Amino acid sequence: MSKSVLCKFFAHGACLKGDHCEFSHDWNNPSNNVCTYYQKGACAYGSRCRYEHVKLSRSQPSAQSSAQPQQYLLSSSAPSNVPPEKGTHNTDVMPNISTEYLASSRPAWNHSELQDTLEIDDMIELKSVNPADRSICAFIAAGNCPRGEKCPHIHGDLCPTCGKHCLHPFRPQEREEHIKTCENKQKHLDLLKRSQEIECSVCLERVLSKSTTAERKFGILSECDHPFCVSCIRNWRGSSSSGMDINSALRACPICRKLSYFVIPSVIWYFTKEEKDEIVDNYKNKLRSIDCKHFDFGNGTCPFGISCFYKHQYRDGRLEEVVLRHLGSEDGSTVIAKNIRLSDFLRNLEMR
């Protein structure tokens, strides 16, 4: 096997070996799209095969020699301008050819014998390979393998979560990753089912049953456990009027009046404190991978400072180093000084 040949399963997006594949997963390498079964004499798919039915250079002499008698008989018994149909034996075109010759021109082997030979060759080849380097059988992973015990590939163990034989017995790290991924998916599905009945505390409608996809999200408050749809809670916090205290009126929960500084959009609702912490942490981690538009790679200033959830990174890859200034107040407590801008003093002078 050569790493310079492109993997045909990778080209179709269905390679199960990953890094253990003996072929290349680099699109720059040339692909080998020649049918191997056709080279050995029989392809069960015939004209429906997705690979090329061409003879390689080493098999061209035998192919030409086997085709010479038929060409000779055609030239002596039928006009040259009538081409024979592929895959058929027309007695009108070849009247002088007996059925004995037609029967003898067929392959001497049958498909089942050829398949058994190929399976034996695969077993001999794979016995010398490290079991950890062998891939899982795609048929048993889908549900059933027609080869059974004669299959040259690994038959994976049953995953208790997804119910598929896709756990490699000789790759423990891969097994743990698959089991963890399946458990997280199953947990997410269970929470999604339980969240179907949760109603918004403002519009009193089921959040996941709303008409538009954008409205089918919960707006989770950081310090409160009352459920809201994201559109209702954002409209509540976005409405303002002159003389209104933002913290006590807008950032507080409409039901219990607890102060929350941010809203977390989520398609699932939590039922324990651990589930809520996981949703909040996943939301913050996702925002940390997005560049802050206010910071603008060091060219701008973010008004949220250290409270910003987005990434503050310079163009050379360095992250912003936050230096906090602590000031002592009159009562003896310590407070964090905010950034002082010249525009603040100028605004005060204009007001005077």
Side-chain angles (χ1 to χ4, degrees):
M1 304 299 179
S2 177
K3 275 286 185 180
S4 61
V5 180
L6 180 65
C7 174
K8 59 184 179 181
F9 296 100
F10 174 76
H12 294 285
C15 183
L16 299 177
K17 296 184 179 180
D19 297 337
H20 300 278
C21 184
E22 56 269 22
F23 291 95
S24 173
H25 284 188
D26 187 1
W27 289 103
N28 296 327
N29 292 330
S31 61
N32 184 9
N33 202 32
V34 179
C35 179
T36 56
Y37 293 100
Y38 181 78
Q39 300 299 318
K40 295 184 179 182
C43 177
Y45 294 97
S47 60
R48 297 181 291 106
C49 183
R50 69 172 64 180
Y51 302 104
E52 297 178 0
H53 282 189
V54 294
K55 291 291 184 179
L56 297 179
S57 57
R58 62 183 181 182
S59 60
Q60 283 179 355
S62 60
Q64 293 176 358
S65 61
S66 62
Q68 285 178 357
Q70 184 177 1
Q71 293 176 356
Y72 173 77
L73 290 174
L74 286 174
S75 61
S76 62
S77 61
S80 60
N81 59 350
V82 182
E85 295 183 3
K86 184 179 179 180
T88 59
H89 300 289
N90 195 339
T91 56
D92 296 335
V93 178
M94 301 179 291
N96 296 332
I97 300 178
S98 62
T99 56
E100 296 179 358
Y101 174 77
L102 294 177
S104 62
S105 64
R106 298 174 182 173
W109 61 82
N110 54 35
H111 181 69
S112 60
E113 293 178 356
L114 177 64
Q115 189 69 19
D116 294 339
T117 304
L118 295 177
E119 290 178 356
I120 294 174
D121 294 340
D122 293 337
M123 291 292 293
I124 295 175
E125 180 181 356
L126 291 175
K127 280 183 179 179
S128 59
V129 180
N130 186 3
D133 296 334
R134 294 167 59 185
S135 62
I136 293 181
C137 175
F139 294 99
I140 196 64
N144 184 27
C145 178
R147 294 185 178 183
E149 297 179 355
K150 297 182 180 180
C151 182
H153 301 284
I154 293 291
H155 281 193
D157 298 332
L158 181 66
C159 176
T161 305
C162 64
K164 296 182 179 179
H165 294 270
C166 52
L167 298 179
H168 203 291
F170 301 101
R171 300 177 189 173
Q173 184 177 0
E174 185 178 308
R175 289 170 62 97
E176 294 178 1
E177 292 178 356
H178 177 85
I179 293 175
K180 185 176 180 180
T181 303
C182 282
E183 290 178 351
N184 291 335
K185 289 182 178 179
Q186 187 63 36
K187 182 180 179 181
H188 186 273
L189 291 176
D190 294 340
L191 289 176
L192 189 61
K193 292 179 181 178
R194 297 173 63 185
S195 303
Q196 298 291 333
E197 304 298 327
I198 303 299
E199 296 181 353
C200 174
S201 300
V202 176
C203 63
L204 303 180
E205 295 181 5
R206 293 182 180 177
V207 178
L208 299 182
S209 300
K210 294 221 168 187
S211 56
T212 60
T213 306
E215 294 179 339
R216 297 171 193 163
K217 288 184 180 180
F218 294 96
I220 301 176
L221 297 180
S222 58
E223 304 298 330
C224 173
D225 294 330
H226 288 99
F228 303 98
C229 58
V230 68
S231 57
C232 287
I233 193 63
R234 283 178 176 173
N235 291 335
W236 170 271
R237 296 167 71 93
S239 60
S240 62
S241 59
S242 59
M244 181 182 297
D245 185 13
I246 297 178
N247 287 335
S248 62
L250 300 181
R251 291 178 178 173
C253 171
I255 307 299
C256 63
R257 312 304 299 170
K258 286 185 179 180
L259 182 62
S260 298
Y261 287 98
F262 58 92
V263 180
I264 303 98
S266 175
V267 294
I268 59 175
W269 184 253
Y270 61 91
F271 295 90
T272 61
K273 185 180 182 301
E274 291 76 14
E275 293 174 354
K276 180 179 181 178
D277 294 339
E278 184 179 358
I279 294 174
V280 174
D281 292 340
N282 292 337
Y283 175 70
K284 290 183 178 180
N285 292 333
K286 182 179 179 181
L287 294 186
R288 287 194 190 101
S289 62
I290 303 175
D291 294 318
C292 177
K293 63 179 181 180
H294 299 289
F295 185 74
D296 192 20
F297 301 101
N299 298 325
T301 303
C302 180
F304 301 99
I306 60 175
S307 301
C308 183
F309 292 156
Y310 293 92
K311 182 169 60 175
H312 288 187
Q313 184 179 14
Y314 296 96
R315 294 192 182 276
D316 57 359
R318 295 181 298 109
L319 296 177
E320 180 191 22
E321 296 181 2
V322 180
V323 179
L324 301 179
R325 295 183 301 162
H326 300 274
L327 300 177
S329 60
E330 296 178 354
D331 57 356
S333 60
T334 303
V335 295
I336 298 175
K338 298 181 180 180
N339 293 331
I340 302 175
R341 300 179 182 179
L342 180 60
S343 59
D344 297 335
F345 293 98
L346 296 176
R347 189 180 299 109
N348 293 332
L349 291 176
E350 292 176 358
M351 293 178 62
R352 292 178 183 176

